[in-house]
Amino acid sequence: MKNSTPEERQAELQRAEENTKNWTRDRRVWDYAEMCKLYTNTALRLILLKDLRRKGFFIANAPQDTDTEVIDQSSTSTPIKQVLPPTSGSTEEAGEGAAETSDSGSSDKANPTWQKPTILRMKMKKMGLYAKFPPETALLAQFKDYLKNTLLVTKCQQEVDNVSRILRYIQPTGKEVHLDFLTKSKEAMTFIRELNSVKMSPSTIINYIKSMIRFIEHLKLDLKLAKKDQAFHNNCQKYIDILKTLRKPVLKSLCTDTVRKRYDWFIGDKQTLHDCQRVLRVTMKDMLGIYGKLLERKHVDKKQKTLFRYYCEGILILKHFQRPGAVQGMTTSEWFNKRLHHGRVCVGVREHKTATMQIATFALTKEEASFLDHYYLEIRSGYLKDGVDDRDKFFLSISGRPVSSATNDLRRLHEHYKLPNIRSQVVRRVAGTEANENFSEEQKSAVAHYMAHSTEVAKTHYRMRTMEGVVATANLFSCLERSTSDESGNEGTSHRRKRARETADEDVKDFSTFLECFPVGVTGQPPTKKQRTDAGFLPGRVFYDKWRVAQYNQRAEYLLSQYSRHPPTVHKVAKIIGKEGWKGNHPRPEDIVAKWKPAKRVQMESDAGIISSVTKQSWLGLAIKDFGGSKGQGVVSTKAFPKGSIICDYHGKVITAVEGMKLMESMKDEMGYLFFFKAGGRDLCIDAQTFPCECHPSVETMGRKINHSSKNWNLKPLHCLINFPEGARDVILFQAMKDISIRKELCFDYGVNRKSFRGGGLNLEWLDN
């Protein structure tokens, strides 16, 4: 009222004073009977009664129970935001306001445990589920100390808060937690039911139950409490059993929810790796501009610095499939310790949320490493502030504190460029799916090696991580990205639409049908556009690219199979590639050297697939054919086998060489099925003459039917000591020494004079292990 007259100001002052008197007279008096009508929840009503008394309100007809008295009268001196009592039509607002003030300062942002109100939290406050005991409560303080110092849970405040809310719901009043809550299982059931009614996710409800179970287990370990009451231990165990019973339907609901999400993903539109990494391509031009400014030490504004940081995080999440926890946990020390290996910059991260005994690893290209290095030198250094602990983290926010959510940063990057958000979980799932469709079993293990950080997965696929493996897998992903993004990066809208139509039409024919028409081989060439069209396929590159990826994988496996005992050199691998006449679509010699692993035969000896095939005699892709005449029966392929494949085994009873020679002498001119070999200084023989064998009385084993060829043999016998569940056993495996096409006869060199013996499998020239 700066421009008002003195009379107008005086009139406004009198009106304000009158309003203040009316509010004091009408609004500072509550009727407890009216409160009972408004709030049927006893716990919430008592909390509201306590807070109104603390703020100086008069409550008419209130009970004089000492439990409802104010806990700490000194708290009235603390300035707390006033909550207006409701009128008859504002029940919801009063409930929210009263619940908010009941949380012992939860609305104070200075409190480190303060959280921004959400719809879910407001519902919890309205129903009296969000109130907590004071942090200094003895049992809760002991529980927090137990989590930090005994269980080494550094971030345990959320777990303590979960327990505090459950206990406050069971015990609405009082300063300290009373142990009689162990006898109030009904209230605990009600709390869990109420959490479900506010639409809390099953996983969060399970966290509440898990926290409470851990709290009671902590109480069981307290010897002082156990000595006071002999039945205390039994009461704790009964309460834990009740909580576990309550957890079962929640777990079932969680499983249902998970299955629903997986079903939605299964029937939904599938994204490709190219789609997931779109934001990196769209932002590249802007990021190169910022990168140039950083190189020239020109001014870069705050917004551009933030976007550049988002982009660097996106490289690790979208391009190298790292979890957000690994990005947030990366430190400057780990960046200093990066290593250049075979053209890639290898980085390891020790601390991340999924870590137990494993590290997160990734291999950056030199360009990507340069982006991160300039972020560290030019941007991160400007974020550092005196008095703010950066905890040595690599990625910092503008405030100088470590980035708390790489997921949110990635979302903001997508929002800035108006693109659909892609989360870490999505891109990792897509990468795993495409790897599963295009990679071999060994390469799938390498993918799990690269993307998985948990100990459980690590035990399945690997033990220790090496830079060679990380670099090889990063190069493998680069190959997959090139194949999925070919002809899509610079093509126009009309071309993209045409390609999309071709993809949809081409999917009508399955890729397996394509492989039947054009088998993948180490020495083959990809089908031309005319060949694909003549076979009834559209000229699109979808199956063409998959074919090339499959051949690339087979060629990598073949090159590695040439060096089972000694590591290869770049020169030797290049010589084999030149000898095979491969002009393209093959691994670099450096990649094979980096990927090589010793003792490949040892891997065969423990391979679950080989063990199963030998045990069940279920070798796929083989059939017995009668060639007629003196040749008789033989084995032909019913599918294509790439070079280095294990075809089948020479199955029979393993006896000594002496016993085999006696058996051979008794056969005279009959057809013989004996295989002599040496293993570990032992002279042994496989007796396939006694047919059927004891272990497979109704199965015709394939190995004994393979014919001899001294010139055109395509198989080579390989001795292995297979680790069966019942113990190790000598086995002769047949390995393909060249690409074998469909309907091709399988042969190996018996190494015997055919004038004296007829039939398959007699090998008098010892196979020396």
Side-chain angles (χ1 to χ4, degrees), residues 96-289:
E96 294 180 359
E100 182 179 354
T101 58
S102 67
D103 195 7
S104 301
S106 63
S107 61
D108 186 6
K109 293 186 179 181
N111 187 344
T113 64
W114 180 85
Q115 292 178 310
K116 183 179 179 179
T118 61
I119 296 176
L120 178 61
R121 294 194 188 106
M122 296 303 292
K123 288 182 179 179
M124 291 180 66
K125 290 178 180 180
K126 182 178 179 180
M127 300 185 68
L129 305 175
Y130 208 72
K132 297 182 293 185
F133 275 93
E136 62 274 8
T137 302
L139 283 180
L140 294 178
Q142 294 172 10
F143 178 52
K144 186 174 183 179
D145 182 71
Y146 167 75
L147 292 175
K148 280 190 173 182
N149 300 325
T150 303
L151 301 184
L152 303 180
V153 181
T154 55
K155 298 180 180 180
C156 60
Q157 186 59 49
Q158 183 63 54
E159 191 165 355
V160 176
D161 289 345
N162 290 346
V163 174
S164 181
R165 292 189 182 103
I166 296 176
L167 295 176
R168 176 52 83 187
Y169 184 84
I170 297 174
Q171 182 186 327
T173 60
K175 181 185 275 189
E176 294 292 339
V177 177
H178 300 303
L179 295 178
D180 59 352
F181 77 88
L182 293 171
T183 62
K184 300 179 179 179
S185 58
K186 185 177 180 180
E187 285 79 355
M189 296 180 186
T190 305
F191 183 86
I192 301 301
R193 194 182 304 115
E194 295 292 347
L195 289 180
N196 189 53
S197 68
V198 298
K199 306 300 182 183
M200 181 174 283
S201 65
S203 58
T204 306
I205 297 176
I206 289 175
N207 286 337
Y208 270 89
I209 299 175
K210 178 182 175 182
S211 301
M212 195 64 181
I213 291 176
R214 186 177 283 186
F215 172 70
I216 298 174
E217 288 176 345
H218 157 65
L219 295 180
K220 287 172 60 178
L221 297 176
D222 195 325
L223 298 179
K224 295 180 180 179
L225 295 175
K227 289 180 180 179
K228 291 180 181 179
D229 188 355
Q230 296 297 328
F232 176 74
H233 186 277
N234 294 333
N235 291 337
C236 290
Q237 188 58 48
K238 289 179 181 178
Y239 205 85
I240 291 176
D241 294 339
I242 292 173
L243 291 174
K244 289 182 177 179
T245 303
L246 293 175
R247 185 174 57 182
K248 289 181 180 179
V250 184
L251 286 173
K252 185 176 180 180
S253 175
L254 177 62
C255 293
T256 304
D257 188 55
T258 303
V259 170
R260 178 188 57 78
K261 291 180 181 178
R262 291 179 179 177
Y263 175 78
D264 293 341
W265 178 84
F266 177 75
I267 65 174
D269 295 334
K270 298 298 183 293
Q271 293 174 310
T272 64
L273 200 57
H274 189 73
D275 298 331
C276 293
Q277 297 172 349
R278 182 185 175 190
V279 68
L280 298 181
R281 299 190 301 274
V282 172
T283 60
M284 176 56 74
K285 183 178 179 180
D286 292 345
M287 295 304 114
L288 287 175

Side-chain angles (χ1 to χ4, degrees), residues 260-403:
R260 178 188 57 78
K261 291 180 181 178
R262 291 179 179 177
Y263 175 78
D264 293 341
W265 178 84
F266 177 75
I267 65 174
D269 295 334
K270 298 298 183 293
Q271 293 174 310
T272 64
L273 200 57
H274 189 73
D275 298 331
C276 293
Q277 297 172 349
R278 182 185 175 190
V279 68
L280 298 181
R281 299 190 301 274
V282 172
T283 60
M284 176 56 74
K285 183 178 179 180
D286 292 345
M287 295 304 114
L288 287 175
I290 299 174
Y291 179 75
K293 290 182 180 180
L294 295 175
L295 280 176
E296 299 174 3
R297 300 292 180 89
K298 293 183 179 179
H299 173 71
V300 179
D301 59 37
K302 290 183 179 181
K303 185 176 181 180
Q304 290 178 326
K305 289 180 179 179
T306 302
L307 288 176
F308 195 80
R309 188 193 83 215
Y310 293 167
Y311 179 79
C312 292
E313 295 176 42
I315 290 176
L316 301 184
I317 295 175
L318 300 178
K319 197 76 178 290
H320 294 275
F321 316 112
Q322 298 302 301
R323 286 191 172 96
V327 177
Q328 296 159 200
M330 181 178 168
T331 63
T332 58
S333 301
E334 291 161 348
W335 181 249
F336 289 152
N337 292 326
K338 61 184 182 295
R339 292 288 184 271
L340 181 63
H341 194 81
H342 292 292
R344 290 266 185 172
V345 179
C346 299
V347 183
V349 179
R350 290 170 291 183
E351 295 184 9
H352 45 94
K353 289 184 179 180
T354 56
T356 50
M357 294 184 292
Q358 301 303 324
I359 62 173
T361 55
F362 47 90
L364 305 171
T365 63
K366 291 182 179 180
E367 179 185 357
E368 294 166 348
S370 181
F371 270 78
L372 266 70
D373 203 43
H374 276 76
Y375 158 78
Y376 172 74
L377 296 174
E378 306 297 336
I379 297 179
R380 183 187 183 278
S381 58
Y383 286 166
L384 298 174
K385 291 181 173 54
D386 294 336
V388 178
D389 184 13
D390 65 344
R391 290 161 40 199
D392 194 39
K393 298 300 182 183
F394 186 80
F395 289 105
L396 302 180
S397 62
I398 296 179
S399 64
R401 295 184 176 86
V403 169

